[in-house]
Amino acid sequence: MAALSRGAGRRLPWARTVFWLYVATLMLPVLWMFLMSIRPNEDILGSFSLIPQRVTFDNYATFFSDSSWYSSYLNSIVYTSMNAVMSLVVALPAAYAFSRFRFAGDKHLFFWLLTNRMAPPAVFLLPFFQIYQSVGLFDTHLGVAIAHMLFNVPLAVWILEGFMSGIPREIDETAAIDGYSLPRFFIRIFLPMIRSAIGVTLFFCFMFSWVELLIARTITSVNAKPIAATMTRTVSAAGVDWGLLATAGVLTIVPGAIVIWFVRNYIAKGFTMGRV
Amino acid sequence: MTEVQEEPRADLKRKSNRAWLLVLPVVVSVAFTAVIPLMTVVNFSVQDVFSPSDRIFVGLEWFRSISRDPEVRSAFVRTLLFSAQVLLLEIPLGVAIAVCMPRRGVWVSVALVLVALPLLIPWNVVGTIWQIFARGDIGLGGWAINNVLGVNFNYTLDSTDAWVTVLLMDVWHWTPLVVLLAYAGLRSIPEPYFRAAQIDGASAWATFRHIQLPRLRGVLTIAILLRFMDSFMIYTEPFVVTGGGPGNATSFLSILLSKIAVGQFDLGPAGAFSLLYFLIVQILCYVFFTVLTRSGR
């Protein structure tokens, strides 16, 4: 019985090897970034060496003592978290509607939502700048969080709809017969069933908002300036400060890694049938 | 083998216009962030803008000149080729890795975090890291290609090498997205399906082909479309690594567009360009979307 309850099918004998080889390859550029962050600049550009000749933590010290670095880091964390939660909250009911009901214009609306992810940002920048200044959202965390809903809400609706449609409709009907109201069914039964989708959605919203640079930079100046914008300013008279840039790069991985650590169980567990 | 994957059919959906209420928050939020800026771009595209107060209506003039520009046309072909290669490499690789991923124990968490790491680096930093990583003299990747594989590789001089560098960077950066989506999709397959397959004595390949793959269709549609539109609009990473060069080897549509919009500040042509661009992405996505959601139904 133990072998039968294994979950997602049989494992191939070499699957483990293939996977960890892939992860090792994936880690090489990250490792390189880390090695750059603990080396002085002249060593980075000097000559090739796998192991750093001189190890320094000056770059990390600079990052945590310079307020323009660490405050922009915090800004990014604040607006990214706001965006992820807001996107999920508006997307959940919409995704449910798309997966369960037919209504006037549903297919067109769904595709129209997707198209908003296809807009080239370069020319949207000027309109964004003008609108956000006129409504008083310029240089606020809320402003960036709302702006990033442009591409995260469609994505969230889309991912959630994909997963919800995979869940048999009989479950809704059984719950209705058992006397569950729609909101109660949604929160008590349906949400736990799609937790892998919620985990993935939260992570993707966090991720896309975290790495976005162009829009976030355009609609902020000081108070809500993102970390990625601070990174573009490492060019000084002496050239690019590679070590500091790599340090910031290493540190930008940390919050997302924490997020995925928290949602990992949602992603990995999936759902089991017969909960109703 | 027992057929277990009966998809819920679209025509079983209940008809209810009250569902509009559930969609309303999304419509409002997207209208604010998308529709209003888009109107401004439409406005730009039909005018010659000298200053905010000084502009002339020129009709479809910009659309005509942009669509006839040979530079735009070659950038379009280049971008299309790039997206096609990205999809052909990343989708099969991502699914294969997701299937191979561990499913129980502590290693699941470690594997998820490690796979997600490349996605979390801001795009400009991804470009910067690869700019050094792929260099033959001081970067691990370029050094390995030159000295271990014995190939003379220099992405700043050779246009093929530049293309390969940008492509490899994209595969490195974005395959994890396909892996995570496919993995979550695999995890949401109800267990009785596998039990049934196991009792029937299905081979690993048969299980994959008849249970996992059909069930992954929804998730893979997302992955394919997402990778298509993002690779078709790729900007920051190739801009940082190669700046579009050498020559025009890696100047994609987006790089050309921002040259016009930000570099020359020609708002009219840039508006027309981005609307055409937007339209092309939409048409291609619509084709993909229709094919992917109809197949197998």
Side-chain angles (χ1 to χ4, degrees), chain A residues 11-266:
Chain A
R11 299 302 310 276
L12 300 169
W14 33 263
R16 194 182 294 262
T17 322
V18 170
F19 178 75
W20 291 109
L21 268 179
Y22 170 76
V23 169
T25 322
L26 206 59
M27 284 307 107
L28 285 179
V30 179
L31 181 73
W32 197 247
M33 180 164 74
F34 175 71
L35 290 177
M36 272 165 72
S37 74
I38 56 169
R39 294 159 78 179
N41 272 323
E42 53 271 28
D43 283 20
I44 294 172
L45 295 171
S47 64
F48 177 80
S49 66
L50 202 54
I51 293 119
Q53 309 294 309
R54 288 181 292 166
V55 173
T56 166
F57 290 98
D58 288 356
N59 296 319
Y60 288 87
T62 313
F63 187 94
F64 285 110
S65 60
D66 184 341
S67 75
S68 73
W69 280 104
Y70 64 75
S71 67
S72 63
Y73 191 60
L74 290 177
N75 289 340
S76 286
I77 294 177
V78 172
Y79 72 67
T80 302
S81 314
M82 283 166 77
N83 171 272
V85 173
M86 282 155 54
S87 302
L88 189 69
V89 167
V90 299
L92 273 171
Y96 184 75
F98 281 122
S99 83
R100 290 300 194 257
F101 300 111
R102 276 192 301 146
F103 49 95
D106 55 350
K107 293 207 176 72
H108 299 287
L109 187 66
F110 192 65
F111 192 74
W112 172 72
L113 274 179
L114 302 192
T115 62
N116 292 301
R117 249 200 137 266
M118 308 167 191
V123 165
F124 269 45
L125 297 181
L126 193 66
F128 257 117
F129 181 78
Q130 289 169 339
I131 294 162
Y132 276 72
Q133 281 212 315
S134 61
V135 297
L137 282 171
F138 184 77
D139 203 19
T140 60
H141 295 125
L142 182 66
V144 187
I146 291 178
H148 282 178
M149 285 172 92
L150 167 68
F151 46 84
N152 273 347
V153 166
L155 179 76
V157 172
W158 200 13
I159 294 182
L160 292 170
E161 198 274 338
F163 279 87
M164 286 176 182
S165 297
I167 292 183
R169 219 148 289 157
E170 287 77 28
I171 287 171
D172 304 38
E173 283 149 23
T174 318
I177 293 165
D178 287 352
Y180 278 89
S181 67
L182 183 64
R184 192 151 154 264
F185 159 74
F186 194 75
I187 291 166
R188 295 289 297 279
I189 298 169
F190 202 67
L191 287 188
M193 291 187 81
I194 53 154
R195 48 175 192 246
S196 62
I198 293 177
V200 173
T201 309
L202 271 180
F203 173 71
F204 277 148
C205 288
F206 185 91
M207 187 270 281
F208 277 112
S209 177
W210 181 255
V211 297
E212 203 281 333
L213 170 66
L214 284 175
I215 294 174
R217 187 174 60 186
T218 309
I219 59 169
T220 57
S221 57
V222 184
N223 296 328
K225 192 171 143 190
I227 179 74
T230 312
M231 284 187 193
T232 58
R233 305 209 178 146
T234 54
V235 187
S236 65
V240 179
D241 193 341
W242 297 104
L244 194 53
L245 189 64
T247 302
V250 170
L251 291 171
T252 54
I253 297 180
V254 177
I258 294 172
V259 170
I260 199 152
W261 182 264
F262 278 114
V263 299
R264 73 188 190 281
N265 286 333
Y266 291 83

Side-chain angles (χ1 to χ4, degrees), chain A residues 10-11 26-27 32 48 90 98 101-104 116-118 146 166 231 242 245 253 264 268 271 273, chain B residues 13-14 16-17 20 30 33-34 100 103 109 114 117 125 128 137-138 172 187-188 202 215 230 233:
Chain A
R10 285 199 298 194
R11 299 302 310 276
L26 206 59
M27 284 307 107
W32 197 247
F48 177 80
V90 299
F98 281 122
F101 300 111
R102 276 192 301 146
F103 49 95
N116 292 301
R117 249 200 137 266
M118 308 167 191
I146 291 178
M231 284 187 193
W242 297 104
L245 189 64
I253 297 180
R264 73 188 190 281
F271 78 95
M273 292 273 273
Chain B
K13 281 187 191 179
R14 264 196 297 151
S16 157
N17 278 329
W20 257 99
V30 174
T33 50
C100 289
R103 293 188 187 105
S109 317
L114 288 180
L117 287 189
V125 182
T128 312
D137 51 348
I138 54 169
W172 172 79
R187 302 303 313 191
S188 66
R215 278 271 151 184
D230 283 350
M233 297 195 301

Side-chain angles (χ1 to χ4, degrees), chain B residues 22-281:
Chain B
L22 299 172
V23 195
L24 204 62
V26 160
V27 174
V28 171
S29 63
V30 174
F32 180 72
T33 50
V35 177
I36 302 171
L38 195 64
M39 303 300 278
T40 321
V41 176
V42 173
N43 202 12
F44 284 153
S45 70
V46 290
Q47 299 186 73
D48 198 348
V49 186
F50 298 108
S51 74
S53 56
D54 192 11
R55 37 176 79 174
I56 329 167
F57 182 76
V58 293
L60 297 178
E61 186 51 46
W62 300 132
F63 288 93
R64 210 167 295 143
S65 65
I66 287 291
S67 60
R68 283 184 189 152
D69 189 339
E71 214 180 332
V72 174
R73 286 186 177 184
S74 63
F76 171 67
V77 173
R78 212 175 284 128
T79 312
L80 208 56
L81 193 64
F82 181 74
S83 289
Q85 291 178 353
V86 158
L87 286 179
L88 286 176
L89 288 170
E90 291 177 12
I91 301 296
L93 181 65
V95 174
I97 297 298
V99 170
C100 289
M101 209 158 144
R103 293 188 187 105
R104 9 179 60 202
V106 262
W107 290 107
V108 174
S109 317
V110 178
L112 278 171
V113 172
L114 288 180
V115 166
L117 287 189
L119 296 169
L120 295 161
I121 309 171
W123 297 345
N124 54 332
V125 182
V126 169
T128 312
I129 296 306
W130 273 79
Q131 195 188 352
I132 287 205
F133 184 74
R135 260 171 73 166
D137 51 348
I138 54 169
L140 180 59
W143 181 85
I145 293 174
N146 278 329
N147 295 296
V148 180
L149 297 179
V151 180
N152 193 7
F153 180 88
N154 187 331
Y155 70 85
T156 51
L157 295 177
D158 187 286
S159 49
T160 316
D161 291 356
W163 182 276
V164 170
T165 305
V166 176
L167 191 63
L168 274 182
M169 174 177 63
D170 199 84
V171 170
W172 172 79
H173 189 182
W174 288 112
T175 308
L177 180 127
V178 184
V179 175
L180 287 180
L181 276 172
Y183 183 72
L186 286 175
R187 302 303 313 191
S188 66
I189 301 175
E191 292 199 11
Y193 290 13
F194 291 107
R195 260 175 242 162
Q198 220 156 6
I199 290 163
D200 287 353
S203 67
W205 171 250
T207 312
F208 174 72
R209 177 67 191 79
H210 295 288
I211 296 180
Q212 294 178 318
L213 204 56
R215 278 271 151 184
L216 281 180
R217 205 184 65 214
V219 181
L220 282 185
T221 307
I222 299 172
I224 291 171
L225 279 171
L226 208 54
R227 277 320 296 135
F228 167 71
M229 54 180 87
D230 283 350
S231 65
F232 203 79
M233 297 195 301
I234 187 169
Y235 172 73
T236 319
E237 299 97 318
F239 181 76
V240 176
V241 178
T242 60
N248 275 330
T250 52
S251 37
F252 301 113
L253 278 176
S254 56
I255 290 181
L256 201 58
L257 169 63
S258 57
K259 248 185 225 165
I260 300 171
V262 185
Q264 303 161 7
F265 218 69
D266 283 338
L267 290 176
F273 192 159
S274 47
L275 284 181
L276 280 178
Y277 196 170
F278 195 37
L279 205 67
I280 293 169
V281 188

